[in-house]
Amino acid sequence: LEEASLLHFMGLNKVPSPRTTQPVPSILMKIFQERQKAAATGHYQKLCYVKEFGVPGNLIRLFQDQGALSHPMEVAQAPPCTQKFHFFNLSVITQDEQLMMAKLDLRLGLNAYNALQQDLEVMVSVVQGPAPQPDQKLVLHYLPWSQRVLHVDLLDVVKEWNSNPQSNLGLVLELLPKGNNDSTMTIYPEGTCDNWRQFIQASLMVVTLTHQECPRFPHFPRKRR
Amino acid sequence: ATLSTMESTSKHLCQRHQMVINFEDLGWHKWIIAPKEFRTNYCKGDCPFSLMSFFNSSNYAFLQTLMNSRTPEVPKAACVPTKLSSISMLYYDSYGNIILQHHEGMVVDECGCG
């Protein structure tokens, strides 16, 4: 109990015991080390701006993809498997935080494409209905052969999810042959679906601003009277 | 007021004492990514009235210690942090999300009678 109350200042209600831990991206370690250096040399300044991302903010979170836990249906999907579901639990974002950035980072592993000759298009869509087929295509990205990492701006989507948590049903990532939106055309990555999917890693980088720490920054847009 | 004959020797006077917070010692190393430890101080020592002016003490500490010399029920001023600074921390939460946040008031830089 004491430990929990001691952690309260970190916004935690119990000692975290994450089952799986994602690797720490170098950008976060870089930001951390720069801040430590600034604090050690006495150049402590109110950290309400993340210059590495170019946005105001004092709290940076990298959300772990919980898609595999929340979309067992994709396990049933037989090859060709060209879809992967992603889900991010945003419930830890508190009401007094203002969303300043939300960026989806997709890392597409090499192995999934070895046997595929054609260039691929990656489609990231918001799951909107109970059915697994997404209604809205967010981003149609053409994935050149050499590109392995995609960044997708999801700020508007995450704001919607944060203000209306029921609407957060996750995302679907689909691979299609280039220039062919007909998803009946199939691509057969090597091996089984799980083999293909494990080489697609997603995480969501979110920056928020808490006005308690950073009163100077623009407040929430006030509701017009 | 007469000063107590047993004036505190200097080592018992209020001052900061170095401390290293090591998260492994606290058993938090599994979820705190960085820093692994950090240096801070704790405040300990006596606040006798005679030397109050040497400390960066607050006015109420003077008055409270003065009152202590008349009515012992009123405790002397305490040896407390008078300057704090913050550190950034990188850690996992229970969902496995990684958080980078600045926490105020984590490091004690100076102590005084307050």
Side-chain angles (χ1 to χ4, degrees), chain A residues 3 22 47 60 62 64, chain B residues 28 92 97-98 100 102 104:
Chain A
E3 208 165 35
Q22 51 186 325
L47 291 154
I60 306 171
L62 185 74
Q64 174 152 257
Chain B
W28 290 1
Y92 290 108
N97 304 320
I98 299 175
L100 171 55
H102 217 56
E104 305 281 348

Side-chain angles (χ1 to χ4, degrees), chain A residues 46 48 56-59 94-100 208-222, chain B residues 101:
Chain A
K46 203 77 173 140
C48 298
N58 60 301
L59 211 169
T94 61
Q95 284 307 316
D96 75 326
E97 292 178 51
Q98 183 172 354
L99 280 157
M100 308 308 284
T208 58
L209 187 76
T210 51
H211 293 287
Q212 179 193 351
E213 302 277 320
C214 304
R216 269 188 322 114
F217 278 81
H219 271 64
F220 293 93
R222 291 201 179 291
Chain B
Q101 189 170 11

Side-chain angles (χ1 to χ4, degrees), chain A:
Chain A
L1 191 60
E2 287 126 38
E3 208 165 35
S5 55
L6 194 59
L7 292 174
H8 186 71
F9 74 93
M10 293 173 78
L12 301 166
N13 49 22
K14 62 183 168 64
V15 176
S17 51
R19 265 171 303 172
T20 58
T21 53
Q22 51 186 325
V24 182
S26 55
I27 181 66
L28 278 189
M29 201 44 100
K30 177 176 173 288
I31 296 171
F32 168 77
Q33 285 157 353
E34 296 238 331
R35 289 182 169 191
Q36 288 297 82
K37 216 185 303 169
T41 52
H43 293 99
Y44 162 68
Q45 77 276 14
K46 203 77 173 140
L47 291 154
C48 298
Y49 188 78
V50 187
K51 63 182 185 331
E52 291 79 2
F53 296 136
V55 294
N58 60 301
L59 211 169
I60 306 171
R61 288 187 185 92
L62 185 74
F63 284 92
Q64 174 152 257
D65 178 15
Q66 321 249 337
L69 306 175
S70 59
H71 282 88
M73 71 180 78
E74 77 172 6
V75 177
Q77 191 191 45
C81 42
T82 56
Q83 282 187 344
K84 177 163 185 177
F85 289 90
H86 302 282
F87 177 76
F88 300 98
N89 179 349
L90 303 181
S91 60
V92 292
I93 298 179
T94 61
Q95 284 307 316
D96 75 326
E97 292 178 51
Q98 183 172 354
L99 280 157
M100 308 308 284
M101 184 193 91
K103 185 166 59 76
L104 177 70
D105 291 340
L106 290 171
R107 287 170 304 285
L108 309 172
L110 199 55
N111 308 52
Y113 304 99
N114 279 347
L116 298 176
Q117 294 315 310
Q118 67 269 62
D119 282 347
L120 298 171
E121 275 183 341
V122 179
M123 208 155 53
V124 178
S125 308
V126 177
V127 177
Q128 287 206 315
Q133 288 312 319
D135 310 340
Q136 176 194 349
K137 283 184 180 39
L138 242 193
V139 176
L140 187 59
H141 260 257
Y142 165 53
L143 180 66
W145 190 248
S146 57
Q147 187 174 349
R148 291 281 175 257
V149 179
L150 273 183
H151 302 296
V152 183
D153 178 4
L154 285 185
L155 185 55
D156 293 339
V157 173
V158 169
K159 280 181 175 175
E160 168 57 25
W161 286 345
N162 194 39
S163 58
N164 174 18
Q166 288 75 23
S167 65
N168 178 4
L169 298 174
L171 300 165
V172 180
L173 177 139
E174 282 185 273
L175 285 186
L176 295 171
K178 179 181 156 235
N180 183 318
N181 289 346
D182 169 8
S183 55
T184 54
M185 178 111 173
T186 54
I187 36 182
Y188 285 92
E190 279 177 355
T192 64
C193 282
D194 288 351
N195 177 356
W196 174 74
R197 286 198 193 100
Q198 69 180 333
F199 290 108
I200 307 269
Q201 301 298 322
S203 53
L204 183 67
M205 186 79 83
V206 173
V207 176
T208 58
L209 187 76
T210 51
H211 293 287
Q212 179 193 351
E213 302 277 320
C214 304
R216 269 188 322 114
F217 278 81
H219 271 64
F220 293 93
R222 291 201 179 291
K223 293 207 179 355
R224 292 199 185 294
R225 291 186 191 289

Side-chain angles (χ1 to χ4, degrees), chain B residues 22-34:
Chain B
N22 179 298
F23 291 120
E24 184 142 12
D25 295 346
L26 292 177
W28 290 1
H29 54 292
K30 291 190 181 72
W31 59 274
I32 291 187
I33 303 162

